[in-house]
Amino acid sequence: MSTLYTAKATSTGSGRAGHVESDDGVLSADLSMPEGLGGAGGSGTNPEQLFAAGYAACFHSALHGVARREKLRLADSSVTAEVGIGKVGEGFGLSVELVVSIPEVDQDTARKLADAAHQVCPYSNATRGNIDVTVRVA
């Protein structure tokens, strides 16, 4: 792979109850442990939300790229990523459901675009074979 861009972020504090910041300062967020994982919740974000946001944005970009290749224009599309975390043996694992909405095309076309995006999205390629990822067309 020929790297085109490298993102860099640093975690400080105590991990899930600490702080993350990108090297350019654009991303700066306090973290809090979700109640579902035994934390107090709070106003901070968490790694699963950050992963969900990144995956949704990346997949949506891949979806638009595939649509352009097919000479389609997507104006009102959206992608929602739902990232779950749970126990797997002694550790933890993730699962993802991507909910793709493309109201301007028929269901079959939307499914084909979503399937094609899943093949080219860098997040999909990184997670393939590692975690369960479901793509649902709404």
Side-chain angles (χ1 to χ4, degrees), residues 9-13 15 18-22 27-31 45-47 50:
T10 302
S11 170
T12 56
H19 185 83
V20 291
E21 188 163 342
S22 60
L27 172 66
S28 179
D30 290 327
L31 304 175
T45 188
N46 60 65
L50 294 169

Side-chain angles (χ1 to χ4, degrees), residues 12-133:
T12 56
S14 58
R16 287 183 166 275
H19 185 83
V20 291
E21 188 163 342
S22 60
D23 63 334
D24 61 4
V26 172
L27 172 66
S28 179
D30 290 327
L31 304 175
S32 59
M33 179 78 78
E35 290 179 21
L37 293 177
S43 61
T45 188
N46 60 65
E48 291 71 38
Q49 288 176 331
L50 294 169
F51 184 64
Y55 203 159
C58 189
F59 195 92
H60 201 194
S61 183
L63 187 68
H64 276 270
V66 167
R68 273 192 306 277
R69 187 177 68 208
E70 297 297 320
K71 308 226 183 307
L72 296 171
R73 186 177 163 280
L74 307 182
D76 296 320
S77 61
S78 67
V79 175
T80 301
E82 299 177 13
V83 174
I85 183 170
K87 293 286 281 178
V88 176
E90 294 296 314
F92 289 86
L94 299 175
S95 64
V96 176
E97 181 174 25
L98 298 169
V99 182
V100 178
S101 174
I102 313 174
E104 57 266 43
V105 301
D106 62 79
Q107 193 74 4
D108 286 340
T109 301
R111 168 54 47 200
K112 287 176 186 170
L113 292 172
D115 288 345
H118 193 40
Q119 295 306 307
V120 299
C121 172
Y123 276 60
S124 292
N125 288 331
T127 58
R128 189 170 288 112
N130 298 311
I131 65 174
D132 290 333
V133 177

